[in-house]
């Protein structure tokens, strides 16, 4: 390889890996790969061993009608494609490795698919192989360049491992990106305020409920990238929970506790924080602690549907049970639900019978066994159970 080609090869390899990070670069990179190896068109495609499906991942220089024809008909006539199931990795093959040139020129695959694209030969090399599937780089050779030669084979062999690793890296990057985005969406759907803090106490991520909590600022607020408590009691609790000292068993145990804090407007909140496992040398923005904040509540955190299913409660009985938990007294329940006290007592008797209890306190105890640790936010931002 000449110095010029060596420099071009080095530059092209860098661009191949750039395409792993930015998928928009792939088509342009494949074009450069095609030109570098001496081709006029290139395709990266997969084929399963059972010959049931084909997937074209990237392409350059091939019109859509020829790609469709290849899928519908000529993939079955491509004598190079399935050879890679049995050939060694990184082995470039051309038509001459499969059959005499004269025989190839007589095939319908050549006459109806290869030749109409101005090509006379094609070369392929495997990028990824498994027991069930193979992914190859297929490059068409223009008739003006003649048949596939050794320089073309060698250049494809040199590029193949880089293309392979770039594809693997791209999948890993996309998988991680999707995971992060999906997780953020899930966290935003919860009514529990969840905040990730780094080792220095800076906010790495806050879900929608937590951002709403900061905006309200009656309990906690954001100043820069740090959390500030709105009163002395909450500040003491918050600092105690989020103090990072992995060498102290006492503090680790304290961080596993749930603390009660009161906002400036008198609302009660439950605060819980615990450290996350991390490597010895975490990056500056790596999450070290997760903080959970919930408004102290009872009935809104119960899985009402699950309670009804467990004890075969009617809708009316369930409403009375939830009112017992929230209010307690029969007269108050009757007033809130707009029904007679005798009706409340009738439902209460059925609740005792179905649950095997005899006191309202026992009903509350059973219901709290169906507490939901994370309730979903509705479109209006209220809790849904």
């Amino acid at each position: 390889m000449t110095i010029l080609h060596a420099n071009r090869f080095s530059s092209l390899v860098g661009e191949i890996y750039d395409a792993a990070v930015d998928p928009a670069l792939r088509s342009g990179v494949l074009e450069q790969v095609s030109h570098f190896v001496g081709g006029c068109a290139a395709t990266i495609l997969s084929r399963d061993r059972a010959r049931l499906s084909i997937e074209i991942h990237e392409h350059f220089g091939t019109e859509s009608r020829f790609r469709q024809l290849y899928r519908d008909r000529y993939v079955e006539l491509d004598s190079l494609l399935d050879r890679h199931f049995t050939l060694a990795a990184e082995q470039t093959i051309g038509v001459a490795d499969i059959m005499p040139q004269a025989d190839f020129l007589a095939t319908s695959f050549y006459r109806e698919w290869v030749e109409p694209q101005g090509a006379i030969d094609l070369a392929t090399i495997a990028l990824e192989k498994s027991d069930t599937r193979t992914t190859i780089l297929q490059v068409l050779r223009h008739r003006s360049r003649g048949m596939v030669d050794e320089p073309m084979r060698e250049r494809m062999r040199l590029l193949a491992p880089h293309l392979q690793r770039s594809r693997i890296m791209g999948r890993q990057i996309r998988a991680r990106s999707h995971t992060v985005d999906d997780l953020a969406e899930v966290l935003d759907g919860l009514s529990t305020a969840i905040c990730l803090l780094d080792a220095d106490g800076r906010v790495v991520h806050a879900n929608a409920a937590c951002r709403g909590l900061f905006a309200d600022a009656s309990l906690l607020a954001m100043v820069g990238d740090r959390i500030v408590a709105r009163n002395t009691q909450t500040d003491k609790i918050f600092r105690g929970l989020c103090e990072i000292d992995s060498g102290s068993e006492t503090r680790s145990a304290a961080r596993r506790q749930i603390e009660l804090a009161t906002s400036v407007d008198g609302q009660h909140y439950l605060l819980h924080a615990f450290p996350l496992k991390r490597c010895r040398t975490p990056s500056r923005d790596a999450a070290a602690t997760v903080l959970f904040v919930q408004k102290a509540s009872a009935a809104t955190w119960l899985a009402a549907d699950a309670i009804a299913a467990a004890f075969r409660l009617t809708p009316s009985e369930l409403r009375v049970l939830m009112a017992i938990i929230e209010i307690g007294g029969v007269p108050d329940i009757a007033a809130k639900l707009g029904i007679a006290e005798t009706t409340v007592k009738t439902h209460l008797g059925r609740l005792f019978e179905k649950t095997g209890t005899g006191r309202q306190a026992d009903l509350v105890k059973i219901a709290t066994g169906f507490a939901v640790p994370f309730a979903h936010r509705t479109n209006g931002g209220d809790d849904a159970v």
Side-chain angles (χ1 to χ4, degrees):
M1 186 181 295
T2 65
I3 294 178
L4 179 62
H5 282 151
N7 290 338
R8 183 67 195 100
F9 173 77
S10 178
S11 176
L12 180 54
V13 168
E15 292 170 14
I16 287 173
Y17 289 112
D18 287 343
V21 179
D22 185 357
L25 301 176
R26 292 179 189 167
S27 179
V29 168
L30 189 59
E31 178 180 1
Q32 295 182 59
V33 167
S34 178
H35 292 328
F36 179 78
V37 302
C40 61
T43 304
I44 295 177
L45 59 94
S46 296
R47 173 74 179 273
D48 68 302
R49 186 181 288 272
R51 303 168 68 91
L52 296 176
S53 66
I54 178 175
E55 181 178 1
I56 295 178
H57 304 286
E58 300 292 335
H59 57 84
F60 157 71
T62 304
E63 296 178 11
S64 60
R65 64 187 180 98
F66 284 109
R67 294 195 301 274
Q68 190 62 48
L69 282 170
Y70 188 83
R71 289 192 189 96
D72 295 343
R73 170 174 169 78
Y74 295 105
V75 62
E76 302 298 339
L77 304 177
D78 185 348
S79 54
L80 277 65
L81 183 58
D82 293 334
R83 293 299 180 97
H84 289 287
F85 278 116
T86 56
L87 289 175
E90 299 181 13
Q91 181 178 347
T92 307
I93 59 173
V95 170
D97 300 299
I98 304 300
M99 65 179 70
Q101 181 184 6
D103 292 347
F104 174 66
L105 298 180
T107 64
S108 58
F109 177 56
Y110 171 77
R111 289 184 284 101
E112 299 170 9
W113 193 80
V114 176
E115 186 179 32
Q117 297 185 75
I120 193 172
D121 199 356
L122 69 161
T124 60
I125 188 169
L127 301 180
E128 298 179 60
K129 293 192 340 181
S130 69
D131 292 338
T132 59
R133 198 168 188 82
T134 184
T135 300
I136 69 164
L137 168 65
Q138 178 194 80
V139 181
L140 291 179
R141 182 82 160 181
H142 195 269
R143 64 170 64 95
S144 64
R145 304 292 295 270
M147 301 293 288
V148 171
D149 54 17
E150 286 308 311
M152 182 177 185
R153 296 171 188 268
E154 177 64 11
R155 291 176 185 177
M156 289 181 65
R157 186 189 67 79
L158 290 173
L159 288 176
H162 299 290
L163 290 167
Q164 176 188 18
R165 286 192 286 270
S166 176
R167 288 176 53 79
I168 294 173
M169 288 171 56
R171 286 198 298 268
Q172 293 173 339
I173 292 170
R174 291 192 302 278
R176 181 171 182 177
S177 175
H178 289 320
T179 299
V180 171
D181 291 343
D182 292 344
L183 179 58
E185 184 176 351
V186 170
L187 294 180
D188 281 344
L190 301 177
S191 60
T192 300
I194 302 174
C195 185
L196 301 179
L197 308 172
D198 69 11
D200 294 323
R202 290 182 289 259
V203 174
V204 175
H205 179 77
N207 72 343
C210 193
R211 296 193 295 272
L213 188 70
F214 293 151
D216 177 68
S218 62
L219 181 74
L220 301 170
M222 278 279 291
V223 176
D225 56 1
R226 295 182 183 273
I227 297 176
V228 176
R230 292 302 308 275
N231 58 55
T232 303
Q233 176 228 25
T234 302
D235 181 69
K236 183 178 180 180
I237 292 171
F238 173 69
R239 292 182 182 278
L241 284 171
C242 298
E243 185 178 11
I244 304 300
D245 186 358
S246 59
S248 171
E249 293 182 3
T250 301
R251 288 173 179 171
S252 294
R255 286 198 298 274
R256 290 194 293 270
Q257 296 177 357
I258 298 176
E259 299 286 353
L260 177 65
T262 305
S263 65
V264 294
D265 59 358
Q267 298 292 318
H268 298 302
Y269 291 85
L270 300 176
L271 275 65
H272 175 46
F274 62 87
L276 299 173
K277 292 182 180 179
R278 60 187 190 276
C279 62
R280 294 182 180 178
T281 56
S283 61
R284 181 184 182 277
D285 60 350
T289 301
V290 58
L291 172 69
F292 298 91
V293 184
Q294 296 178 0
K295 182 176 287 188
S297 179
T300 53
W301 296 95
L302 299 181
D305 291 343
I307 297 173
F311 299 102
R312 298 182 179 180
L313 305 182
T314 66
S316 297
E317 292 166 353
L318 180 61
R319 282 195 296 271
V320 169
L321 174 59
M322 301 306 288
I324 288 171
I325 297 167
E326 181 181 356
I327 302 171
V330 170
D332 292 333
I333 293 172
K336 178 173 182 178
L337 298 182
I339 58 178
E341 292 185 24
T342 54
T343 303
V344 174
K345 292 178 180 178
T346 298
H347 288 314
L348 186 58
R350 291 173 181 167
L351 288 169
F352 288 150
E353 180 181 351
K354 290 184 176 182
T355 59
T357 60
R359 300 182 306 160
Q360 290 187 30
D362 294 331
L363 288 174
V364 174
K365 186 181 295 185
I366 287 175
T368 54
F370 290 81
V372 179
F374 299 107
H376 287 277
R377 292 162 56 88
T378 62
N379 291 334
D382 297 326
D383 297 342
V385 295

